[in-house]
Amino acid sequence: MQDEPLPEHRRPDGTDDATVEAVGRLTEALESCERARGHLYSFHQLTGESDLKLGDAVDQLRAAGHVAVADRLDRELVGRNVIKDRWTFQIIEDYDDSYWSVFRDLERSVRTELTAGRRHIYEAEMKEDRRTHGLPDHTAHP
């Protein structure tokens, strides 16, 4: 097997540097969006964990004889919306439906139109430029 990038990691004929760079930047933007989405899931899980621990604290306060304090926390904070009208799962659903899915679809569409749908051409070319040909840990592909 030759030590060169696979066809899916080579730019299509006629694709110029500016296009490869711009599509690479668009993909990088999507990657940042994906990371933001991951942080939303962290926010979602941490907030849910917080609410469950809050419920435990309310139960412990009640058992310790602090019924009025427990009742106030239970009424005003347990299960409360984290932003107006929404729990965290609803924030994620709104993000997914109105931004993340649109971003993914448009990024894929642009790649299809401008680079034959090929992913990470910019990075593949950077790898080809930076690796040391002939060394085992510097191969072009698996």
Side-chain angles (χ1 to χ4, degrees):
M1 182 173 282
Q2 292 183 353
D3 189 28
E4 60 185 48
L6 296 172
E8 61 265 25
H9 289 139
R10 288 189 221 134
R11 71 172 65 191
D13 290 339
T15 306
D16 60 31
D17 289 345
T19 300
V20 167
E21 188 172 334
V23 172
R25 189 65 168 173
L26 175 62
T27 298
E28 185 180 15
L30 174 60
E31 291 168 0
S32 293
C33 178
E34 294 283 4
R35 289 179 57 209
R37 184 172 182 258
H39 287 292
L40 277 178
Y41 274 93
S42 293
F43 168 70
H44 165 62
Q45 291 177 348
L46 289 169
T47 301
E49 181 181 321
S50 173
D51 189 63
L52 293 174
K53 288 178 181 180
L54 172 63
D56 291 343
V58 166
D59 292 343
Q60 290 172 348
L61 286 165
R62 192 171 280 120
H66 305 288
V67 176
V69 171
D71 286 349
R72 187 177 78 216
L73 288 170
D74 198 21
R75 180 181 59 252
E76 294 182 25
L77 194 54
V78 172
R80 183 183 182 100
N81 290 331
V82 296
I83 63 170
K84 185 172 176 42
D85 302 328
R86 287 179 176 74
W87 269 24
T88 56
F89 75 91
Q90 293 165 310
I91 296 168
I92 290 170
E93 288 176 355
D94 286 351
Y95 184 83
D96 281 357
D97 294 346
S98 67
Y99 190 73
W100 171 75
S101 60
V102 174
F103 204 143
R104 283 182 48 148
D105 291 345
L106 286 170
E107 186 270 348
R108 184 180 302 114
S109 174
V110 169
R111 272 191 299 103
T112 298
E113 182 179 339
L114 300 179
T115 62
R118 297 176 188 176
R119 297 177 293 172
H120 298 108
I121 294 172
Y122 184 84
E123 289 90 339
E125 290 181 356
M126 183 188 308
K127 176 182 180 176
E128 191 62 15
D129 182 56
R130 294 179 61 82
R131 72 188 183 93
T132 303
H133 293 256
L135 290 182
D137 292 329
H138 289 253
T139 56
H141 54 82

